[in-house]
Amino acid sequence: MGEIFFQNTMGGRKEPFSPLHEGEVRIYTCGPTVYDFAHIGNFRTFVFQDVLRRFLRSRGFRLHQVMNLTDVDDRIILNAQAAGIGIREYTDRYIQAFLQDMRLLRLEMPETIVRATDHIDDMVAIVRTLLDRGYAYQSEGSIYYRIAKFPAYGRLSKVNFSGIQAGARVDVDRYEKDDARDFALWKAHKPGEHFWHTPIGDGRPGWHIECSAMAMKYLGPTLDIHTGGVDLVFPHHENEIAQSEASTGQPFVRFWLHAEHLFVNGEKMSKSLGNFYTLRDLFQRGYRPSSIRFLLASVPYRRQLNFTFDGLVQAASAVERLRNFSDRLRNESLPEQGAVVFAERIANAVAEFEAGLEDDVNTARALAAVFDLVREVNTAMDRGEFGRADVAAAAALLDRFDAIFAVLAPDAAALLAELGYAEAGGLSDAEIEERVAARQQARRQRDFAASDRIRQELAERGIILEDLKDGTVRWKRK
Ligand code: AMP
Ligand code: ZN
């Protein structure tokens, strides 16, 4: 297998990847800000990270991935106040929802997943170091980072901030490039706000210091890979670099990998624009986790992806095609030797699949290799030209595919229900009719594996089929 290349936001080039510590890749992932349900834009970034970790693991690396849960920031404090509850109670609910969503999308658990508010001492320690070294200063009970003292500021986001007026400050966690100023490491306690009593004063941490503290605590001063969505490049990641490197004197991150956004009608999917869907929204409409996961994973992470329901339906049918193919490989009676020998063709598809992933996780290229082969083998099977001798190799390619894409196993209807998506199994009448028709079609084509699967899937959603003597089907809800 070939060398792995990643497009590094720092420097803007593809670079060959190898970890700093032999055999182990240390990854930090900015997790969700748990002030609300995550939307599928957020999950585009998280699915990318999952594909990345599955790929690295499948190449024999041990992983240590840390994901944080931002459970204190400006928005959380406001929302918790409005709800009249503490921030812990407020965020607990969204953390549980996020973990459930992760399971449904088959996102592997990072080795370490941690809450920001459990690391206040670690943050305070870094702020103290920054104060000692002259990178930070106090003003009215808050503590700010002095960006003029860190000449590399702007290297990641490729903006020249050298002309910025020293001492001008910004207090909010999220701001634009035009607002680049000394940013808050520690915010003075305001009446009514949640605060911690610490050696650097009563107050709460700024958002950026949270990630520096949790990343370095678990992974050491230098990480192999840091990921997030492109909106985090500035200011969040620029500030993480400034804080971390000024406190340790060592390089913070070797590879920065940023996922492009999920768009809707030409605009970034975001809470503030109101153009978002949560997983629950989509489950309620009868879409399955595997379709959503496939859609989000299918476009390479460095390319924008425009969300449409059409795209989601196509994703569902792509997953269906592969599941059918897998059934055919298992169940169809094939000649011992096919008229065409596929061994070399399959080996080439495997090589192309791997080459796609090695090329900065180019999932589109990897998928094309799989779908091209599936099309050819399906055609050969239809003609009786595909032999048993090639089944194992074709099945191995599917396994390889699924180790990364994780969509072939049936969607867990029971799990959906258990997690409170009871409605998720509830298909509309039209959707049921559609599946019943698909099953009839499969039966006419004598594809009994496919027809049984549809029956099974409907049964899992509580829908019972009854085959009538005249060849029609009656269905009812349990
Ligand atoms: P947040 O909860 O706002 O901190 O965001 C969690 C993750 O989702 C971050 O990595 C963001 O960069 C990412 N993200 C936010 N919106 C989108 C979007 N529309 N498409 C892809 N990723 C996004
Ligand atoms: Zn972060």
Side-chain angles (χ1 to χ4, degrees), residues 28 30 68 207 211 226 232 236-237 240:
Y28 185 83
C30 288
N68 74 298
W207 170 37
C211 284
H226 195 314
L232 300 190
H236 188 51
H237 291 163
E240 278 187 39

Side-chain angles (χ1 to χ4, degrees), residues 170 204 329 366 442 453 468:
V170 53
R204 61 168 172 111
L329 282 179
R453 215 196 28 260
L468 303 178

Side-chain angles (χ1 to χ4, degrees), residues 116-134:
T117 54
D118 290 334
H119 296 78
I120 301 293
D121 291 348
D122 304 293
M123 299 173 207
V124 167
I126 298 178
V127 175
R128 291 179 87 171
T129 307
L130 292 173
L131 283 167
D132 288 348
R133 296 187 166 196

Side-chain angles (χ1 to χ4, degrees), residues 33 46 70 93 130 132 155 226 229 242 307 387 399 448:
T33 308
F46 296 127
T70 298
R93 176 171 165 214
L130 292 173
D132 288 348
R155 256 179 68 209
H226 195 314
F307 174 80
D399 286 348
F448 297 113

Side-chain angles (χ1 to χ4, degrees), residues 255-267:
F255 287 81
W256 286 95
L257 272 50
H258 288 106
E260 267 295 342
H261 283 144
L262 186 69
F263 275 64
V264 190
N265 298 324
E267 284 184 304

Side-chain angles (χ1 to χ4, degrees), residues 30-33 39 41-42 44-46 75 174 207 228-232 260-262 268-269:
C30 288
T33 308
H39 57 66
N42 302 129
R44 184 198 188 186
T45 295
F46 296 127
R75 292 177 297 186
R174 305 204 180 218
W207 170 37
V230 280
D231 55 308
L232 300 190
E260 267 295 342
H261 283 144
L262 186 69
K268 173 189 165 187
M269 182 176 283

